[in-house]
Amino acid sequence: MLLCTDVGNTNIKFGLYENEKQIVKLRFATDSKKTDDEFAVELYTIFHINNIDISKIDGSIISSVVPKVTDSLVKAIKTVTGNDSIVLGPGVKAGLDIRIDNPSTLGTDIVAMCVAVKEMYTCPAVIIGLGTATTILYLNEKKCYCGGAISPGVGISLDALTNNGALLPSTDLKPPKKVINTNTEDCIRSGIIFGTACMLDGMIDRYNEETGVTSTIVATGGLASAIIGNCKHDIIINDDLVLEGLRIIYKKNS
């Protein structure tokens, strides 16, 4: 089995694959203060709870945007599974043609998402990542990564609004029933959820206008289910793009 690990700013996601099939997906909060021993205990415990035969794990690959966590996870995975991990970065063959000013600045999570989309979907493609940041990426018809746009994530926007507005209450991200609302909580939900959906629709239109083609649109991230259903474009949701990309990249390097 192959262990794919996606270290994000908010969560760490683990996907266990047998050949090309994902058999288990696990998640826990990202905490840069944890030691490698603490990560090892958590990993061992969560594998045990899910009845995973650790002895069958024979490969590991990691994408991380939190450098402080990377080394600890590499050591923890080695302790628990006995496997050295491939850490996605320079020197790892991804098979992605990157056409931006400085390819070395591209986040490994973006690399993994693009690899997954170029292998699994028709290009050109617009890839929407709804995580700590909202990323809108573009793969052209030759499956080359050509750049994109980044804006504050939905969670960051909500936190900034409620933390800096003395009279604005914290609220969840359950979509309200209508756009125009009569209480503060639903007004905030409307602005965040419908506002983000409108921004995405508008950006997709601009991408299509700028490129002169209509693209496949794929969205991923923990907040995709709350937002994408309110967009007007036909958007595919795949919450495992990074994990799938890591699986594909591991195969290229094994």
Side-chain angles (χ1 to χ4, degrees):
M1 289 189 294
L2 172 64
L3 176 63
C4 297
T5 306
D6 170 21
V7 183
N9 289 292
T10 305
N11 292 302
I12 302 173
K13 291 171 63 177
F14 300 92
L16 267 175
Y17 287 85
E18 196 159 26
N19 297 319
E20 297 183 359
K21 182 181 179 182
Q22 185 186 96
I23 56 175
V24 178
K25 183 167 66 174
L26 312 167
R27 181 196 304 259
F28 54 72
T30 303
D31 186 350
S32 60
K33 295 179 181 178
K34 286 181 180 175
T35 66
D36 46 312
D37 289 332
E38 289 174 315
F39 276 122
V41 169
E42 285 195 352
L43 271 175
Y44 181 85
T45 301
I46 202 166
F47 286 156
H48 181 71
I49 290 172
N50 286 275
N51 298 313
I52 295 167
D53 185 351
I54 296 173
S55 66
K56 292 183 178 181
I57 300 174
D58 54 10
S60 172
I61 183 169
I62 298 172
S63 163
S64 176
V65 297
V66 189
K68 289 183 178 179
V69 172
T70 310
D71 287 343
S72 293
L73 265 179
V74 168
K75 293 174 183 176
I77 291 170
K78 175 71 172 179
T79 298
V80 174
T81 72
N83 290 284
D84 293 314
S85 298
I86 294 175
V87 179
L88 186 55
V92 176
K93 182 171 65 176
L96 179 66
D97 186 352
I98 302 172
R99 299 185 180 182
I100 60 174
D101 297 339
N102 187 354
S104 65
T105 63
L106 189 62
T108 57
D109 56 337
I110 290 178
V111 172
M113 283 193 288
C114 290
V115 168
V117 170
K118 73 186 286 287
E119 295 288 339
M120 299 171 66
Y121 300 99
T122 302
C123 288
V126 173
I127 309 165
I128 299 167
L130 288 160
T132 303
T134 295
T135 55
I136 310 170
L137 318 172
Y138 182 68
L139 292 176
N140 68 12
E141 66 279 359
K142 295 182 179 179
K143 302 185 177 182
C144 305
Y145 174 66
C146 300
I150 302 173
S151 66
V154 174
I156 288 177
S157 299
L158 178 61
D159 289 343
L161 181 64
T162 57
N163 290 337
N164 291 285
L167 298 179
L168 296 177
S170 181
T171 184
D172 57 35
L173 286 172
K174 180 181 178 181
K177 295 180 179 180
K178 53 185 181 178
V179 176
I180 303 171
N181 293 279
T182 54
N183 63 77
T184 304
E185 289 85 353
D186 280 341
C187 286
I188 293 173
R189 293 186 185 104
S190 177
I192 294 291
I193 295 173
F194 298 144
T196 301
C198 290
M199 181 272 287
L200 293 175
D201 279 327
M203 288 295 283
I204 291 166
D205 288 339
R206 285 176 176 259
Y207 274 45
N208 290 343
E209 290 169 7
E210 188 167 307
T211 61
V213 295
T214 299
S215 298
T216 303
I217 311 164
V218 186
T220 192
L223 296 171
S225 59
I227 304 296
I228 297 305
N230 296 289
C231 292
K232 294 181 178 180
H233 287 84
D234 184 14
I235 303 175
I236 301 163
I237 297 178
N238 185 335
D239 192 41
D240 295 326
L241 280 185
V242 175
L243 296 177
E244 292 289 348
L246 288 174
R247 175 186 62 78
I248 294 166
I249 291 169
Y250 182 86
K251 186 176 180 180
K252 293 178 183 292
N253 289 271
S254 62

